[in-house]
Amino acid sequence: APHNAYILFLLVNINLFLRPAELVPALKGLPIYEVLILSSFFLSLDQIKRVLQFPNLKRQPITLCVIGVLVAVAMSHLSHMYLYGVRTSTIAFLKTLIYYILLISIIDSPKRLKGLLKTVAISSSVMILLCVIDYAGIIDFEFIKHVSDRDGVSDAGEVIRVFRMRGTGIFQDPNDLSVLIVATGMLCLYFFNDPVKSPFRFLWIVSMIILMIGLLDTRSRGGLLTLGIAGMVFVLPKYGKKAAIACAVVGVAGL
């Protein structure tokens, strides 16, 4: 059961990025995410009970904090007698709480953490590849819609607009997507430098190239700045302050 719960939790994360109900129209309307996460939850009840025991909560007070946020969300609306807000906001945060509890209950070893991060990196890379293909006009995916944003005013007084790439699901804001791209890039860089040498590790370079194209397509200045900071943090422990400062300079120049 614990192993099955782990597999289902990986599928939950794949679903968050690739959204099969959007990829395959025949699946539209099916509660795929809900079925996966609830199945994973019930299969890991024993692990969840252990995590929520008081000695474990005492060692991991952040869990108490997250549970407390659920109470605070409800009380915030209840203080104004806004019952609709109590229902909708509590349910919305409850989904996040369930995911969090599953995460700390199921991902209980370095091997599982590595498996989760690899799943996130691959799923995110595939999703961004689809967005890049759509943005370039190679294939038109109906479930991906990009956005035209204002980008200042020309000397003639005309509004300058720029076409920005969006993602799917919760990543439809180009700036949010750019942050995801940078985070995914750091994961790909980590797996490329993994001491356990794999003959397929050079595929991570292909992924990083796609991610860089995607980052430029988002037209996000904040994303470029995030890339510089992420690079600085990545190289600091391994190559020292000078290399970290160089990354920061490159980030500022890109910005």
Side-chain angles (χ1 to χ4, degrees), residues 188-189 192 200-211:
C188 292
L189 189 58
F192 175 71
F200 301 105
R201 72 190 186 98
F202 289 99
L203 291 175
W204 294 112
I205 295 180
V206 177
S207 180
M208 285 187 277
I209 292 171
I210 293 168
L211 293 170

Side-chain angles (χ1 to χ4, degrees), residues 10 112-122 187 190-191:
L10 294 183
R112 286 192 171 186
L113 177 59
K114 198 171 182 179
L116 173 63
L117 294 178
K118 191 170 287 188
T119 299
V120 169
I122 294 172
L187 289 176
Y190 165 75
F191 287 117

Side-chain angles (χ1 to χ4, degrees), residues 107-180:
I107 309 302
D108 56 0
S109 69
K111 183 179 179 181
R112 286 192 171 186
L113 177 59
K114 198 171 182 179
L116 173 63
L117 294 178
K118 191 170 287 188
T119 299
V120 169
I122 294 172
S123 302
S124 177
S125 296
V126 172
M127 184 266 280
I128 292 160
L129 172 61
L130 295 178
C131 295
V132 169
I133 290 172
D134 186 88
Y135 184 86
I138 299 170
I139 300 175
D140 182 18
F141 296 109
E142 292 185 6
F143 58 91
I144 301 175
K145 303 295 181 185
H146 306 292
V147 63
S148 175
D149 269 356
R150 180 186 170 118
D151 192 40
V153 180
S154 68
D155 294 337
E158 297 178 349
V159 175
I160 301 172
R161 305 200 70 83
V162 61
F163 195 50
R164 305 179 67 189
M165 189 178 81
R166 297 169 69 185
T168 62
I170 59 175
F171 302 106
Q172 292 193 22
D173 185 292
N175 295 317
D176 291 344
L177 181 62
S178 71
V179 175
L180 172 67

Side-chain angles (χ1 to χ4, degrees), residues 43-247:
L43 286 176
S44 55
L45 279 176
D46 290 338
Q47 295 157 277
I48 291 171
K49 288 176 184 176
R50 285 196 296 271
V51 165
L52 295 180
Q53 287 176 349
F54 184 73
N56 288 326
L57 290 175
K58 193 175 179 181
R59 286 195 298 270
Q60 234 177 356
I62 188 65
T63 303
L64 276 175
C65 178
V66 177
I67 295 171
V69 171
L70 179 67
V71 178
V73 166
M75 293 302 295
S76 173
H77 290 303
L78 198 58
S79 65
H80 301 286
M81 296 306 292
Y82 181 39
L83 300 182
Y84 177 78
V86 173
R87 180 171 63 84
T88 55
S89 298
T90 302
I91 292 173
F93 188 78
L94 184 61
K95 294 177 182 178
T96 304
L97 179 60
I98 291 172
Y99 180 94
Y100 169 79
I101 291 173
L102 277 175
L103 176 67
I104 62 174
S105 301
I106 294 174
I107 309 302
D108 56 0
S109 69
K111 183 179 179 181
R112 286 192 171 186
L113 177 59
K114 198 171 182 179
L116 173 63
L117 294 178
K118 191 170 287 188
T119 299
V120 169
I122 294 172
S123 302
S124 177
S125 296
V126 172
M127 184 266 280
I128 292 160
L129 172 61
L130 295 178
C131 295
V132 169
I133 290 172
D134 186 88
Y135 184 86
I138 299 170
I139 300 175
D140 182 18
F141 296 109
E142 292 185 6
F143 58 91
I144 301 175
K145 303 295 181 185
H146 306 292
V147 63
S148 175
D149 269 356
R150 180 186 170 118
D151 192 40
V153 180
S154 68
D155 294 337
E158 297 178 349
V159 175
I160 301 172
R161 305 200 70 83
V162 61
F163 195 50
R164 305 179 67 189
M165 189 178 81
R166 297 169 69 185
T168 62
I170 59 175
F171 302 106
Q172 292 193 22
D173 185 292
N175 295 317
D176 291 344
L177 181 62
S178 71
V179 175
L180 172 67
I181 290 172
V182 172
T184 304
M186 291 300 106
L187 289 176
C188 292
L189 189 58
Y190 165 75
F191 287 117
F192 175 71
N193 288 286
D194 194 343
V196 182
K197 303 297 183 184
S198 167
F200 301 105
R201 72 190 186 98
F202 289 99
L203 291 175
W204 294 112
I205 295 180
V206 177
S207 180
M208 285 187 277
I209 292 171
I210 293 168
L211 293 170
M212 181 55 71
I213 295 171
L215 182 62
L216 295 175
D217 287 344
T218 63
R219 312 286 181 177
S220 173
R221 289 182 284 265
L224 288 173
L225 185 60
T226 303
L227 177 62
I229 295 169
M232 181 175 65
V233 172
F234 188 87
V235 303
L236 180 60
K238 193 170 184 179
Y239 301 107
K241 293 181 180 178
K242 289 183 179 178
I245 292 171
C247 282

